[in-house]
Amino acid sequence: MPMNQARVIIENMRPQLQCGTYFIKRVVNESIEVYADVIGDGHDVVQADVAFKHESEKSFTTVRMHHLGNDAHGAVFSVKKQGFYDYKVEAWVDNPLNWQHGIEAKLRDHQIVTSELLDGVQYLEHLLKNVTSKNKAYVEQLISAFQDKESYDLAIKEAISVKLHDLFVNHPLKTFVNSSVVLQVYVDREKARFSTWYEFFPRSTASKEGVHGTFKDAERLLPKIAAMGFDTIYLPPIHPIGEVNRKGKNNATAAQEGDSGVPWGIGSRLGGHKSIHPELGNEADFKRFIKKASEFQLEVAMDLAFQAAPDHPYTITNPEWFRKRPDGTMQYAENPPKKYQDIVNFYFESKAYKELWQELLDVTLHWIGFGVNIFRVDNPHTKPYYFWNWLISEVKKKHPDVLFLAEAFSRPKVMQQLAKQGFTQSYTYFTWRVHKHELMEYVTELTQSEMKEYYRPNFWPNTPDINPYHLQGANESMHLIRYALAATLCGNLGIYGPVFEYMVTDAMPGKEEYLHSEKYEVRFWDWSIENKITYLMTKLNFARRSHPSLQQTNNIRFCPIENDMLMAFYKWNDERTDETLIVVNLDPYYSQQGMVQLPLNELGIEAGRPIQMHDLITDNSYLWYSEWNFVELPASLPFHVFQIKK
Amino acid sequence: MPMNQARVIIENMRPQLQCGTYFIKRVVNESIEVYADVIGDGHDVVQADVAFKHESEKSFTTVRMHHLGNDAHGAVFSVKKQGFYDYKVEAWVDNPLNWQHGIEAKLRDHQIVTSELLDGVQYLEHLLKNVTSKNKAYVEQLISAFQDKESYDLAIKEAISVKLHDLFVNHPLKTFVNSSVVLQVYVDREKARFSTWYEFFPRSTASKEGVHGTFKDAERLLPKIAAMGFDTIYLPPIHPIGEVNRKGKNNATAAQEGDSGVPWGIGSRLGGHKSIHPELGNEADFKRFIKKASEFQLEVAMDLAFQAAPDHPYTITNPEWFRKRPDGTMQYAENPPKKYQDIVNFYFESKAYKELWQELLDVTLHWIGFGVNIFRVDNPHTKPYYFWNWLISEVKKKHPDVLFLAEAFSRPKVMQQLAKQGFTQSYTYFTWRVHKHELMEYVTELTQSEMKEYYRPNFWPNTPDINPYHLQGANESMHLIRYALAATLCGNLGIYGPVFEYMVTDAMPGKEEYLHSEKYEVRFWDWSIENKITYLMTKLNFARRSHPSLQQTNNIRFCPIENDMLMAFYKWNDERTDETLIVVNLDPYYSQQGMVQLPLNELGIEAGRPIQMHDLITDNSYLWYSEWNFVELPASLPFHVFQIKK
């Protein structure tokens, strides 16, 4: 190695993902706790800063790190603007502080420090060049005193003063400073962390049975969805549906006359990814729908499903984007021995990949032009990771408000990888986590492992693709439990309605698929129905809206509770101005009782002092006096969402 | 990011130290297990290689990795030569294997694969360009068969054949291959892992009391030390000792007339770091000593103590290498409020640091010129880490056989850092680990954590600086226990003799310092004494010599044993051609009995089959039939070193 006089080594800096290959994620006003091992040689005083800057800024801001023992140092900074921040650690042997530390030890040992005072003048001279004018006179006075034997008493008093210490800390002399690598954090708008999604098929919104719904029909639902406390409407693809090899009802291989097809089988003679399915309306209708939604503070999320029906216009205009079979025909999708003849995949190994990537970016930008700022991306794990990295970063350069939700239900490392490459939010295994131990284990992994830095979960009790076994034929309590868990465990959640709140749980036999799934046919719903589920969903959604501790995912601590059917957890916002305790009865049939332990240490209170537990659902309040407290939850109202009032 | 068609991501590659900042370490013929997460998009077959090459080689050798589940892959390679090796992981979607995988699934599903066979021709053509001549005809035959409907049966038989599979594996088509970063391993000679050190003061080797010993006197000890099974002689500094502010006996601040001073207080009017203390002999004597030692297969390790007495010649020739006090005098060493007026430290913050570094390298090379290939480095943690990195790498470029032992007894991360920067071996906390739980915890940390990749421990029961409390006034058994632990737990060990084997344990009251320490005065010993300790040390040393499982540190598994005073562990060499079980009685006063559990799974044997346990110390053999076996160890012979014969 080259000769380098730096004396302090910086190691094990975190948060750090794969040596800085990936950025970590935050939303505006969140903070980042930076840690590093800072290892000096010998016994001299070592200091370290965290330095950070927004991409729009020229120079770094620094925060002094604190020694936490065992050579670990830490500091916190917060991010105020959207976009990228750089952050790094700088460390150095602090000669002025070391000098002060030495003189203190010698004075305690009753040594004469005349020579040390003279030695200190160089550090005062460094200060003189850096302190504000109001401290200049003080430093000048010390420079004289340090060199004047007559002023020895004053000199030693000031040499070890807090005032001088603080000046040295605030105007550090960074001799042979060493720097870590520069890492990055990407800052999103707050919705990346807190969002409440409602998915429905606009084609199922007609007010008359047997009629294809339109955007105009769907407009009718906006006040209702807003009133339930949702903030995001997610629509399955709205593009023309392929007619060649179209699938029939209940996933029949061949469609019957009049079958409306699968919205994810995109593209026909009527257009492709930039077109609108004519039966839903036209571009003006869609724009109007988006505008109407925004009047109810609802954002419209679109589906990005990058695949084509065999009759997609691209197959004619750009056959080079598809793989050919040896006979020259288009290779349909397959996962041998299964064949999906209604779909042709883009061929990302194509020589024309750059044009393909660009076109898919154009599709995305096209809809951003309509006012769409959220995309739910279909099956991202079947396209290259680097493609997503490129597409998302290209979009975000100009449209930092745009959010991407990765719909990958795949292996853990695949789902993690998509989040690392830039997806804002990700679907999760919550859909299949039912029992207390598996819920606790999964949420602990999401919130306590490295995943907390880049994987923003979005909890969905159901989706059009997943009618989970535990919801098939499930009662009202089970639906309430699943919604309450999603709403309180995770900052982001979504349901696919109205089948969820109307408990339409009929399944294809033996499969986690809906019977008469809206994926394959238009359904008719009486959207005016209100029931206990809609009532309590609304209560939960508004509790989330008014309680910051429920608008995030990572600040969670499970509380011991002596019953395997009861789960309890404490949540808080970063400032601890809002604290909640959630207790859920996981048993959809019976009342359950247990003793829950309050995290008194974290709450900063002693046992014996009363705490008011205010249930945000029932508006009841309880006074708790002990560390362990009795709770009883009936299956008919299987959760408490307590605001903790100290 | 730029557009990149690679489809496979490589992550979490290990062993890896701080993102490749530091190399890992091995000795010749050791192996490296490389792991990485290899994450492809979609469902295609992914393959990965470990690629490695010695610094003298131009091209990489590859080993195919195996999928271990959860997207982790692993492979092993071994290193045959000293010096640096590069290693990296390459991964790709393997289109030929994916094609074969698809055709297999379709044939099992009774599909016709005519089109797939045609598709496969491209992969056969890739093979044709790469296979050896003996396989060319086979591939040509398949190319015809795949395109000829008449040969369909042959074609499908061969398409899914193991032969074709193996050809695809051995001649991979690495489409859009992705590569990890390139990491490094440094390979030392075997002695880096297995060495047995004997430290003594040559000035204490005179055959007459009151006389200063010489190299010639020390030659007398060589046959005895060799016969005890040591392979390395380590001498404290042999340079002229400072006369200014020289310390007296028992660390008295002022030396009396005739006091011989501290060998680590280097430099006087008689010379500095490149000179020899005249009372020990001259350069020719030292060369002769090294040569004589080598005749007994003993290497001589020298002390590198980079500090100066106030009268070191450097203080006159190169005052710029030392820090000045404001009055112009040399700054002596201090750790306030303590002062060390007999020592001046080199000032590594000096502007003239390059010349200083170069001179210290020259000192090292000077003694290498005498035939010294091992250095024990005194207090390396009080000099900059980057200095050591530079010095060691400069030395190793031309002298790869040279080994450096870091004498830092400091904080964990400081000691680890020195090892990361290049030290071959390191002293450890073994000196203070006495009880079963703390020995097990410490050895587990050394051998199971990341430390196993770079930190080569050297276990010393005592040193001239450390007369540990548990050895002060300790009996013979305690000495035997400490030596047996060092000899069996660690590939490298050392003692400071003859005070260890002669049980000279008098201490400075309340301190872990020897009374009448040889650091401050010449001692007289009757070197001819042999005792039970020398006898059993010799036994242990020769057991180590003939048993590869004892010549390394990392292959160790502690065995449950139902007695807190008994510790048992199983050791093996990489090839498992040598397996040992060591049981130590940690109680120096009483016999202890317990049941030890054999690791039958690791041994690859079923309970009930007899195993011969051959004690390498007593030559007794026992037949064990069970998983749990009775052992009893008296304090008078407190260890078994069993060779396991299956």
Side-chain angles (χ1 to χ4, degrees):
Chain A
M1 69 172 293
M3 290 175 163
N4 176 344
Q5 272 186 293
R7 290 177 55 197
V8 185
I9 306 288
I10 302 160
E11 279 201 354
N12 200 17
M13 181 180 164
R14 53 208 185 283
Q16 172 168 197
L17 299 176
Q18 292 291 320
C19 304
T21 306
Y22 312 110
F23 50 81
I24 63 162
K25 297 174 192 164
R26 290 294 187 272
V27 301
V28 283
N29 292 322
E30 281 189 330
S31 61
I32 297 153
E33 293 179 18
V34 179
Y35 298 96
D37 293 336
V38 174
I39 308 154
D41 65 66
H43 310 286
D44 292 348
V45 174
V46 161
Q47 292 283 287
D49 274 345
V50 168
F52 63 96
K53 73 173 204 59
H54 185 262
E55 57 184 319
S56 67
E57 293 167 347
K58 290 228 172 84
S59 59
F60 282 90
T61 304
T62 58
V63 195
R64 189 62 50 90
M65 299 178 87
H66 296 282
H67 184 216
L68 307 169
N70 196 21
D71 293 301
H73 291 237
V76 183
F77 71 97
S78 46
V79 284
K80 303 292 181 194
K81 302 180 206 171
Q82 280 178 243
F84 282 103
Y85 280 77
D86 286 345
Y87 63 101
K88 62 180 177 178
V89 170
E90 293 183 341
W92 63 96
V93 170
D94 197 301
N95 284 323
L97 287 176
N98 193 53
W99 167 86
Q100 193 176 41
H101 182 261
I103 215 166
E104 272 168 4
K106 288 171 182 175
L107 287 171
R108 270 198 308 272
D109 193 47
H110 309 294
Q111 298 179 19
I112 298 296
V113 295
T114 323
S115 170
E116 284 74 5
L117 288 171
L118 289 174
D119 195 32
V121 171
Q122 58 183 312
Y123 306 127
L124 296 174
E125 277 163 359
H126 159 74
L127 281 187
L128 200 57
K129 279 181 246 152
N130 291 279
V131 295
T132 54
S133 52
K134 85 174 163 62
N135 283 311
K136 273 207 157 51
Y138 172 72
V139 175
E140 277 165 354
Q141 180 199 9
L142 290 202
I143 292 177
S144 305
F146 277 27
Q147 298 177 91
D148 176 4
K149 283 187 184 163
E150 299 300 310
S151 309
Y152 185 77
D153 287 346
L154 171 70
I156 60 172
K157 179 167 159 273
E158 292 303 325
I160 59 172
S161 66
V162 172
K163 181 168 184 182
L164 185 58
H165 178 85
D166 290 347
L167 286 176
F168 283 149
V169 168
N170 293 328
H171 306 283
L173 175 60
K174 299 188 175 183
T175 312
F176 308 126
V177 64
N178 212 351
S179 281
S180 71
V181 290
V182 178
L183 300 176
Q184 287 197 307
V185 50
Y186 184 78
V187 181
D188 274 300
R189 60 183 171 123
E190 207 181 339
K191 191 147 192 173
R193 185 184 69 180
F194 172 53
S195 59
T196 312
W197 297 47
Y198 189 86
E199 173 178 8
F200 68 93
F201 284 76
R203 70 185 183 182
S204 296
T205 59
S207 48
K208 234 174 96 183
E209 187 153 10
V211 175
H212 195 287
T214 64
F215 290 127
K216 281 193 183 129
D217 292 324
E219 277 179 31
R220 216 174 8 109
L221 306 185
L222 295 172
K224 174 188 153 87
I225 295 171
M228 284 197 291
F230 291 95
D231 55 35
T232 307
I233 284 172
Y234 152 46
L235 306 179
I238 59 168
H239 316 299
I241 297 172
E243 294 167 357
V244 174
N245 297 337
R246 177 181 280 193
K247 295 248 177 163
K249 288 175 179 159
N250 286 314
N251 202 14
T253 313
Q256 304 297 312
E257 182 66 32
D259 276 354
S260 35
V262 181
W264 285 272
I266 295 167
S268 74
R269 64 195 161 82
L270 299 170
H273 280 76
K274 291 178 187 165
S275 305
I276 291 179
H277 188 57
E279 291 183 271
L280 287 170
N282 58 28
E283 293 192 347
D285 294 333
F286 184 51
K287 279 187 184 159
R288 205 179 102 110
F289 179 75
I290 292 173
K291 187 169 169 293
K292 278 275 169 197
S294 75
E295 289 168 12
F296 292 98
Q297 280 75 52
L298 288 166
E299 283 193 71
V300 175
M302 266 183 79
D303 200 300
L304 280 187
F306 287 155
Q307 56 190 18
D311 45 335
H312 194 295
Y314 289 150
T315 62
I316 295 152
T317 58
N318 297 86
E320 70 279 10
W321 291 346
F322 302 92
R323 192 157 192 255
K324 293 224 173 23
R325 289 157 59 89
D327 63 4
T329 60
M330 205 78 61
Q331 176 68 59
Y332 48 79
E334 51 180 19
N335 185 9
K338 287 187 233 160
K339 303 175 179 190
Y340 306 97
Q341 280 137 322
D342 59 327
I343 295 291
V344 290
N345 284 324
F346 293 114
Y347 183 45
F348 282 89
E349 296 196 357
S350 164
K351 288 203 174 68
Y353 74 102
K354 288 192 180 179
E355 294 73 18
L356 171 62
W357 289 26
Q358 194 60 57
E359 172 64 14
L360 297 176
L361 173 60
D362 282 350
V363 166
T364 313
L365 295 171
H366 177 81
W367 296 112
I368 291 171
F370 278 67
V372 172
N373 268 331
I374 307 183
F375 294 94
R376 175 269 195 193
V377 179
D378 189 69
N379 269 341
H381 57 297
T382 59
K383 289 94 193 171
Y385 300 104
Y386 291 151
F387 162 68
W388 292 119
N389 188 318
W390 175 84
L391 181 134
I392 294 170
S393 63
E394 289 297 312
V395 167
K396 289 229 157 198
K397 272 180 203 166
K398 294 205 174 145
H399 307 282
D401 277 351
V402 174
L403 312 178
F404 293 88
L405 166 64
E407 187 261 351
F409 291 103
S410 181
R411 305 188 303 283
K413 285 176 186 167
V414 170
M415 292 167 69
Q416 290 163 12
Q417 188 58 226
L418 290 163
K420 287 176 182 169
Q421 297 286 351
F423 279 90
T424 320
Q425 300 182 355
S426 304
Y427 281 80
T428 69
Y429 301 141
F430 166 75
T431 314
W432 297 281
R433 296 291 179 270
V434 183
H435 301 297
K436 180 175 176 175
H437 73 91
E438 60 191 18
L439 282 162
M440 284 176 63
E441 183 178 282
Y442 188 51
V443 171
T444 300
E445 183 189 1
L446 290 170
T447 62
Q448 309 297 319
S449 79
E450 191 184 70
M451 288 178 81
K452 74 177 173 199
E453 305 292 352
Y454 66 88
Y455 197 94
R456 290 205 196 88
N458 195 327
F459 277 14
W460 288 68
N462 73 329
T463 79
D465 292 317
I466 313 167
N467 178 11
Y469 291 126
H470 57 267
L471 282 183
Q472 296 179 15
N475 66 7
E476 189 181 71
S477 293
M478 190 56 160
H479 283 78
L480 293 175
I481 292 165
R482 297 304 291 170
Y483 195 83
L485 287 171
T488 54
L489 284 171
C490 194
N492 303 299
L493 89 139
I495 54 161
Y496 155 48
V499 304
F500 182 81
E501 67 269 29
Y502 292 171
M503 298 196 289
V504 182
T505 66
D506 294 341
M508 298 278 283
K511 294 192 173 176
E512 292 192 313
E513 288 272 352
Y514 284 98
L515 194 67
H516 300 302
S517 168
E518 288 180 285
K519 289 197 291 184
Y520 308 106
E521 60 188 284
V522 174
R523 294 290 294 269
F524 172 76
W525 310 109
D526 177 358
W527 290 92
S528 68
I529 296 171
E530 292 184 355
N531 61 18
K532 185 166 162 188
I533 298 176
T534 60
Y535 176 77
L536 287 170
M537 271 182 4
T538 306
K539 280 277 184 191
L540 283 161
N541 288 349
F542 281 94
R544 282 162 56 86
R545 278 216 187 158
S546 48
H547 286 276
S549 66
L550 302 175
Q551 294 167 11
Q552 56 79 43
T553 307
N554 289 334
N555 295 343
I556 186 169
R557 204 71 76 235
F558 287 98
C559 303
I561 185 163
E562 293 176 329
N563 180 334
D564 278 351
M565 295 306 279
L566 289 176
M567 193 163 85
F569 43 97
Y570 159 64
K571 300 195 76 168
W572 66 94
N573 64 339
D574 280 351
E575 300 79 15
R576 300 237 186 204
T577 53
D578 184 58
E579 294 171 292
T580 45
L581 181 83
I582 295 92
V583 190
V584 183
N585 174 7
L586 299 173
D587 183 342
Y589 303 113
Y590 296 104
S591 171
Q592 294 284 345
Q593 304 84 31
M595 298 294 287
V596 60
Q597 185 185 23
L598 279 180
L600 293 185
N601 259 344
E602 297 225 35
L603 289 166
I605 47 181
E606 313 99 53
R609 232 193 65 193
I611 311 166
Q612 191 190 331
M613 305 298 284
H614 174 229
D615 192 319
L616 299 169
I617 308 302
T618 61
D619 223 25
N620 290 333
S621 280
Y622 307 84
L623 275 185
W624 284 8
Y625 289 88
S626 310
E627 185 171 4
W628 290 88
N629 300 280
F630 178 79
V631 285
E632 171 161 12
L633 283 166
S636 55
L637 183 50
F639 48 87
H640 283 305
V641 181
F642 289 125
Q643 181 183 5
I644 303 172
K645 294 183 173 176
K646 293 186 286 194
Chain B
M1 70 172 291
M3 289 177 165
N4 175 345
Q5 273 186 293
R7 291 179 51 198
V8 185
I9 305 289
I10 302 159
E11 279 202 353
N12 199 15
M13 182 180 164
R14 53 209 186 281
Q16 173 169 199
L17 299 175
Q18 291 292 319
C19 304
T21 307
Y22 312 110
F23 50 80
I24 64 162
K25 296 174 190 165
R26 291 293 186 274
V27 302
V28 284
N29 293 321
E30 281 188 330
S31 60
I32 296 153
E33 293 179 19
V34 179
Y35 298 95
D37 293 336
V38 175
I39 309 154
D41 65 67
H43 311 285
D44 293 348
V45 174
V46 161
Q47 292 283 286
D49 274 346
V50 168
F52 63 96
K53 73 174 205 55
H54 185 263
E55 57 184 318
S56 67
E57 294 167 347
K58 290 226 173 84
S59 60
F60 281 90
T61 304
T62 58
V63 196
R64 188 62 49 92
M65 299 179 88
H66 297 283
H67 184 215
L68 307 169
N70 196 21
D71 294 301
H73 291 238
V76 183
F77 71 97
S78 45
V79 285
K80 303 293 180 193
K81 302 180 205 170
Q82 281 178 241
F84 282 104
Y85 280 77
D86 286 345
Y87 63 101
K88 62 180 176 177
V89 169
E90 293 182 341
W92 64 96
V93 169
D94 197 302
N95 284 323
L97 288 176
N98 193 52
W99 167 87
Q100 192 176 42
H101 182 261
I103 214 165
E104 273 168 3
K106 289 171 181 176
L107 286 171
R108 272 199 307 273
D109 192 47
H110 309 295
Q111 297 178 19
I112 298 297
V113 295
T114 322
S115 170
E116 284 75 6
L117 288 170
L118 289 174
D119 194 34
V121 170
Q122 60 183 311
Y123 306 126
L124 296 174
E125 277 163 359
H126 160 75
L127 282 187
L128 200 59
K129 279 181 246 151
N130 292 279
V131 294
T132 54
S133 52
K134 85 175 163 57
N135 283 312
K136 273 208 157 50
Y138 171 71
V139 176
E140 278 165 351
Q141 182 199 6
L142 290 203
I143 291 175
S144 306
F146 277 27
Q147 299 177 89
D148 177 4
K149 285 187 184 164
E150 298 300 309
S151 307
Y152 185 77
D153 287 347
L154 171 70
I156 61 172
K157 179 164 159 277
E158 291 304 323
I160 60 173
S161 67
V162 172
K163 182 168 183 180
L164 185 58
H165 178 85
D166 290 348
L167 287 176
F168 283 147
V169 168
N170 293 327
H171 306 283
L173 176 60
K174 298 188 176 183
T175 312
F176 307 125
V177 65
N178 212 351
S179 281
S180 70
V181 290
V182 178
L183 300 176
Q184 287 198 305
V185 50
Y186 184 79
V187 181
D188 273 300
R189 61 185 172 120
E190 205 181 340
K191 191 148 191 171
R193 184 184 69 181
F194 173 54
S195 60
T196 313
W197 297 48
Y198 190 86
E199 173 178 10
F200 68 93
F201 284 76
R203 70 185 184 182
S204 297
T205 60
S207 49
K208 236 176 93 181
E209 188 154 9
V211 176
H212 195 288
T214 65
F215 291 126
K216 281 192 183 129
D217 293 324
E219 278 179 30
R220 215 172 13 106
L221 307 185
L222 295 171
K224 173 189 153 86
I225 294 171
M228 284 198 290
F230 291 94
D231 55 35
T232 306
I233 284 172
Y234 152 46
L235 307 179
I238 60 170
H239 316 300
I241 296 172
E243 294 167 356
V244 173
N245 297 337
R246 177 181 280 193
K247 296 249 177 163
K249 289 175 181 160
N250 287 313
N251 202 15
T253 312
Q256 304 297 313
E257 182 67 31
D259 277 353
S260 35
V262 180
W264 285 271
I266 296 168
S268 73
R269 61 196 163 83
L270 300 170
H273 280 77
K274 291 178 186 164
S275 304
I276 291 178
H277 188 58
E279 290 184 271
L280 287 169
N282 58 27
E283 294 193 346
D285 295 332
F286 184 51
K287 279 188 183 157
R288 204 178 101 112
F289 179 75
I290 292 172
K291 186 167 170 296
K292 278 276 171 199
S294 75
E295 289 168 13
F296 291 98
Q297 282 73 55
L298 289 166
E299 284 192 71
V300 175
M302 267 184 78
D303 201 300
L304 280 187
F306 287 154
Q307 57 191 19
D311 45 335
H312 194 294
Y314 289 151
T315 61
I316 296 150
T317 58
N318 298 84
E320 70 279 10
W321 293 345
F322 302 93
R323 190 157 195 255
K324 292 220 176 21
R325 287 156 61 88
D327 64 2
T329 61
M330 205 78 63
Q331 175 68 58
Y332 47 79
E334 51 180 18
N335 185 9
K338 288 188 232 158
K339 304 175 179 191
Y340 306 99
Q341 281 137 322
D342 59 327
I343 294 291
V344 290
N345 284 325
F346 293 115
Y347 183 44
F348 283 89
E349 296 196 358
S350 165
K351 288 205 174 67
Y353 74 101
K354 287 192 179 178
E355 295 73 17
L356 171 63
W357 289 26
Q358 192 61 55
E359 173 64 15
L360 297 176
L361 172 61
D362 281 353
V363 166
T364 314
L365 295 170
H366 176 82
W367 296 111
I368 291 171
F370 277 67
V372 171
N373 268 330
I374 307 183
F375 294 94
R376 176 268 196 194
V377 179
D378 188 68
N379 270 342
H381 57 297
T382 59
K383 290 94 192 170
Y385 300 104
Y386 291 151
F387 162 69
W388 291 118
N389 188 317
W390 175 84
L391 181 135
I392 294 170
S393 63
E394 289 296 312
V395 168
K396 289 230 156 196
K397 272 180 202 165
K398 294 203 175 147
H399 308 282
D401 277 350
V402 174
L403 310 179
F404 293 87
L405 166 63
E407 188 262 348
F409 290 104
S410 180
R411 305 189 302 283
K413 285 178 187 166
V414 170
M415 292 166 70
Q416 290 163 12
Q417 187 57 227
L418 290 161
K420 288 176 183 170
Q421 297 285 351
F423 278 89
T424 321
Q425 298 181 356
S426 304
Y427 281 80
T428 68
Y429 302 139
F430 166 75
T431 314
W432 297 280
R433 296 292 178 269
V434 184
H435 302 297
K436 181 176 176 175
H437 73 93
E438 61 192 17
L439 282 162
M440 283 176 62
E441 182 177 281
Y442 187 52
V443 171
T444 300
E445 182 189 1
L446 290 170
T447 62
Q448 309 296 319
S449 79
E450 191 184 71
M451 287 178 81
K452 74 178 174 197
E453 304 293 352
Y454 67 88
Y455 197 95
R456 290 205 198 87
N458 195 327
F459 277 14
W460 288 68
N462 72 328
T463 78
D465 292 316
I466 313 167
N467 179 10
Y469 291 126
H470 56 267
L471 282 182
Q472 295 180 16
N475 66 8
E476 189 180 72
S477 293
M478 190 56 160
H479 284 78
L480 292 174
I481 291 165
R482 295 304 292 170
Y483 195 84
L485 287 171
T488 55
L489 285 172
C490 194
N492 303 298
L493 88 139
I495 54 162
Y496 154 49
V499 303
F500 182 82
E501 67 270 27
Y502 291 171
M503 298 196 289
V504 184
T505 65
D506 294 341
M508 298 280 282
K511 295 192 174 177
E512 292 194 314
E513 289 271 351
Y514 284 98
L515 193 66
H516 301 302
S517 168
E518 289 180 284
K519 289 197 289 185
Y520 309 105
E521 60 188 284
V522 174
R523 296 289 296 268
F524 171 75
W525 309 110
D526 177 358
W527 288 93
S528 69
I529 296 171
E530 292 183 354
N531 60 19
K532 186 167 161 188
I533 298 176
T534 61
Y535 176 78
L536 287 171
M537 268 181 9
T538 307
K539 281 278 186 189
L540 283 161
N541 288 347
F542 281 94
R544 282 162 55 86
R545 278 217 188 159
S546 48
H547 287 276
S549 66
L550 302 176
Q551 293 167 12
Q552 56 78 46
T553 308
N554 289 334
N555 295 342
I556 186 169
R557 203 70 77 234
F558 288 99
C559 303
I561 186 162
E562 294 175 329
N563 180 334
D564 278 351
M565 295 306 280
L566 290 175
M567 193 165 84
F569 43 97
Y570 160 65
K571 300 194 75 166
W572 65 96
N573 64 340
D574 281 349
E575 302 78 15
R576 300 235 185 204
T577 54
D578 184 57
E579 294 170 291
T580 45
L581 180 84
I582 295 91
V583 190
V584 183
N585 174 6
L586 300 172
D587 183 341
Y589 303 112
Y590 296 103
S591 171
Q592 294 285 347
Q593 305 84 30
M595 298 294 286
V596 61
Q597 185 185 26
L598 280 179
L600 293 185
N601 258 345
E602 297 226 34
L603 289 165
I605 47 181
E606 313 97 55
R609 232 193 65 194
I611 311 167
Q612 193 191 330
M613 306 298 285
H614 174 229
D615 192 320
L616 299 169
I617 307 302
T618 62
D619 224 23
N620 290 333
S621 280
Y622 306 84
L623 275 185
W624 284 7
Y625 289 88
S626 309
E627 186 171 3
W628 290 88
N629 300 279
F630 179 79
V631 285
E632 170 161 16
L633 284 166
S636 57
L637 184 50
F639 48 87
H640 283 304
V641 182
F642 289 126
Q643 180 183 6
I644 302 173
K645 295 182 172 176
K646 294 184 288 193

